[in-house]
Amino acid sequence: MNAKLRLGVNIDHVATIRNARGGDLPDPVRAAELAKAAGADGITAHLREDRRHIRDADMQRLREEVDLPLNFEMAATDEMLAIAIQTKPHAVCLVPEKREERTTEGGLDVAGGHNHLKRFVSDLGDAGIRVSLFIEASEAQLDAAKSLGAPVVEIHTGAYCDAKTDEERARELDRIRHAVQYGAGIGLEIHAGHGLNFETVKPIAAMPEIAELNIGHFLIGEAVFVGLEAAIAEMRRLMDEARTQAGYA
Ligand SMILES: CC(=O)[C@@H](O)[C@H](O)COP(=O)(O)O
Ligand SMILES: NCC(=O)COP(=O)(O)O
C-alpha cells in the first residue's frame, strides 16, 4: 500500500500547441513550473521519434530547469537510449510507438519482445535511471516485465477510459485491478495512466497498490477553461478523495 499517490503531469500537449505555430510559446517548461506549484510530484514528457510535440531541447530544459523528477517517455531505439543516458532523467518509461498513430494505442509487448527490450532495461538501469515499462493489464506482460528486471510498470488505462458502456468500463476496471494486485504481488512498483480525466480517475486512484498516475492530455485541455494550476489542483483533490473514501488515507 502506497500512502501517497503521486501525480506526474504530462506536458506534451503544451508543446503540441506551441508547434502548431512553430514558435517558442507556450513553453512546456513554464507549464512544468506551474504544475509543481499546483502540487504535481513529477513531470512526464514523451520525446516521440517524429518530434511532433516535445523536442530534444525541451527534455534538456525540463531536466535542468525544473525541480521535480522527470519521467522521460520514449520508444526503445538506440537514438532515444543515447539521448536518455545523456539527459539523465529520474526515470524512463519505455513505450510502444508507431509513426502513424494519433496517440499511444496500447502497451509494449514485453512478453513478445523480451530479448529486444532487455538491453534497454539494463543500459538505463546501469546509468542510474529508474526504468518503467508501459504495458497492458495482463499477467503475461507483468511476468515478462519482472523477468526483464524492470522495477516499475505503468498500466495503460486507455481502454478503461475509452469504454463506451458501463459494462465495458467495469470489465476494464476489473482487468486493471487484477493486474495491479498481481503486479504488486510479484514486487513491481505500479504506475498507471493514459486518457484519465476527472470522471475516470477516482476508481483507479482508489487502488492502494498504485504509486503514481501520469496524466496529461485532459489536464492541458481543461487548462484552457480553468487554468493549468486549477485543473491540476482539482485532479490532485480527486485522487486524494478517492484514497480517503477507500479508507487508505
Ligand atoms: C505513453 C503515453 O501514454 C503518453 O505519454 C502519450 O504517449 C502522450 O503522448 P501522445 O499523446 O503523443 O501519445
Ligand atoms: N503515460 C501516460 C501519460 O503520460 C499521460 O497520458 P494522457 O493523460 O496524456 O493520455
Side-chain angles (χ1 to χ4, degrees):
M1 140 87 186
N2 295 283
K4 191 194 178 214
L5 177 59
R6 294 196 302 271
L7 171 60
V9 172
N10 183 319
I11 45 75
D12 290 350
H13 296 294
V14 176
T16 302
I17 299 169
R18 175 195 62 192
N19 296 356
R21 285 287 173 96
D24 296 331
L25 300 176
D27 181 5
V29 171
R30 182 173 175 206
E33 282 160 355
L34 282 174
K36 178 170 191 255
D41 302 291
I43 297 299
T44 292
H46 183 173
L47 186 65
R48 280 185 171 269
E49 290 182 272
D50 62 9
R51 309 313 198 259
R52 68 175 72 158
H53 38 58
I54 292 294
R55 299 176 182 145
D56 303 50
D58 295 324
M59 277 298 188
Q60 200 60 41
R61 289 183 59 222
L62 288 166
R63 174 71 181 82
E64 287 168 3
E65 297 175 30
V66 181
D67 185 22
L68 276 181
L70 174 62
N71 176 33
F72 184 140
E73 293 184 330
M74 59 177 237
T77 65
D78 287 330
E79 181 203 15
M80 288 296 153
L81 181 64
I83 296 170
I85 287 175
Q86 186 258 323
T87 308
K88 290 202 190 330
H90 168 75
V92 159
C93 183
L94 293 173
V95 307
E97 234 181 74
K98 280 191 260 157
R99 286 276 164 118
E100 67 279 14
E101 72 190 353
R102 193 164 281 182
T103 183
T104 312
E105 288 166 351
L108 273 177
D109 184 7
V110 189
H114 199 271
N115 290 338
H116 171 66
L117 292 169
K118 197 169 181 52
R119 179 170 61 87
F120 291 89
V121 173
S122 61
D123 287 3
L124 290 163
D126 290 349
I129 298 166
R130 198 157 169 80
V131 184
S132 141
L133 302 176
F134 192 56
I135 59 171
E136 291 296 324
S138 114
E139 284 189 17
Q141 299 298 342
L142 288 155
D143 284 336
K146 179 73 183 174
S147 76
L148 272 188
V152 184
V153 292
E154 180 169 325
I155 303 288
H156 195 309
T157 53
Y160 157 73
C161 294
D162 291 342
K164 297 285 181 285
T165 64
D166 290 349
E167 292 73 24
E168 192 189 342
R169 184 159 289 175
R171 213 172 32 248
E172 287 300 329
L173 191 61
D174 278 349
R175 192 164 72 92
I176 292 171
R177 188 177 292 110
H178 176 80
V180 163
Q181 290 171 353
Y182 182 83
I186 61 173
L188 292 163
E189 180 175 316
I190 312 292
H191 300 178
H194 200 89
L196 291 168
N197 61 28
F198 291 158
E199 281 179 25
T200 52
V201 74
K202 283 181 73 175
I204 300 290
M207 297 180 195
E209 299 86 358
I210 298 182
E212 177 174 308
L213 298 183
N214 287 301
I215 308 179
H217 181 266
F218 171 78
L219 288 173
I220 305 308
E222 188 65 9
V224 172
F225 305 107
V226 302
L228 186 58
E229 289 186 81
I232 293 169
E234 176 62 4
M235 189 60 84
R236 177 79 262 169
R237 188 189 71 74
L238 291 168
M239 287 163 57
D240 292 344
E241 187 173 81
R243 282 277 158 110
T244 306
Q245 287 173 346
Y248 295 117

